[in-house]
Each structure stands twice: as structure tokens, then as C-alpha cells.
Amino acid sequence: MSVRHGIEAIYHASYVDDKGMCMLEEAKTKHVVVPAINWLICTLNEAEAFGYPKAAAEKAGYKRELDHAIAGLREMHRRGIVVLPGGDYGFAWTPHGTYARDLEHFVKLLGFTEHEAIIAVTSGVAALFMQAHELGKVQAGYYADCILVDGDPLKDITVLQDHDKLNVICINGRVHKAGRREYVQPPVAGQDNNVHVIVPDKEYPTVKKEMQIQAKLY
């Protein structure tokens, strides 16, 4: 029905059948699927601490839905149907700030490469928001929304879930988060009349909010 009536964004699509799959493939330049798969996974495996036992979730059909969803979404990806991460965050067991878990699911469950997952969550989501002309790319004329990561998400996509390894976050070109290491360079050998004979290797305290604000002015 969504394809027939031209609904661009189709959420969940867990129980897609052969007919729906073929219709999506034929019109794949006109539709995207957003499965919100992290909610299914967390409802099955992490909701018990909040009063919803796994047995109850399985009885309600969530395990069956997850199994069907994974199979269908893998096939969609194989056929070139656009599948994007995101959705259904804000529950107790899917809190805000954990969106990067979707990328791990896309890689480990849906057959995406790390690079494909990152493209999906940047330029893919920008297109879903009808802002492909200004979001989702590092390019002149686009919003400077960037992160500096202490790690290589192309080798380990889970590094994006570690907030301590998101060293710098820029929103529209302004520093939203950064540590002292990113603001203050350590002394080098020969600096200050050679009082620093070696480059020190030590941890630096997190920069205070006032310093972050001040940094925006320069």
C-alpha cells in the first residue's frame, strides 16, 4: 500500500513479503525503508531490567518479528533498496544518545559494510530529511556538522558508540564538545629555551565549558 500510494519513507517493514519486495525493488529510487531495528533488539534483550521480561517479549512476537525483519532487510540491501538507520529511540531501554547502535546492527546483521553504514547515516538520512543539498557531506556550502573520532569506524563501527572517543563534535562549524588535548598542544623538544627535552605524554583534564565558549570566538 505504501508503494502503491507513493509514501516515500516506509518504517519498520518487518513482514515484507515477496510481492512487496518486488514492488519496492521496481520503485527503489522513490522509497526508503527505515526499520528501527534497534528497538526490536533492545526490547527482546534489554527491557527486562525495566519490567518487561524477555519471555513476555517473545510471547508478544518480537523475536519472530526480528527474525523476519533481518531476513527481509538483508534482501532489500542485496537488491539495492535504500535502508536507513534510526527510529524509536527515547524508550527506557533505547535511550537518546545511543543512536550509533543502529550502525552496528546494519553491519553485523544486515550485511552492510562499515562504509555503507556511515554513508546511510549521513548522506542517506540527509536525503530523507529533504536536506541533501546542505547536510550529510563535508563539502563547501554544507553545514559543518563533523566529529573527530579516536579510532577508525571503517574497521570497528562500534567506536562511534563510545562517547569518550568522540574527541571533537562540531555543529554548524561551532565546537560543541572538545577536550583540552584538542585546544592546547603539548610542548615539544626545544620549546621554551629547551626546558622541554622530551614531548610529555600525559592525560589532560576535560576543558571547562567557559573555554569551549571562548573557543568559538576565534
Side-chain angles (χ1 to χ4, degrees), residues 32-36 82-86 102 106 112 119-121 123-128:
V32 299
V33 175
V34 187
V82 178
V83 181
L84 299 178
D102 259 310
F106 272 47
F112 281 62
I119 293 299
V121 81
S123 61
V125 171
L128 175 63

Side-chain angles (χ1 to χ4, degrees), residues 187-191 193-200:
V188 297
Q191 182 178 329
N193 295 320
N194 207 35
V195 297
H196 305 291
V197 294
I198 62 171
V199 178

Side-chain angles (χ1 to χ4, degrees), residues 9 17 20 60 66-67 72 106 111 120 138 145 158 188:
D17 56 16
L66 179 61
D67 291 343
F106 272 47
V138 181
D145 298 338
T158 64
V188 297

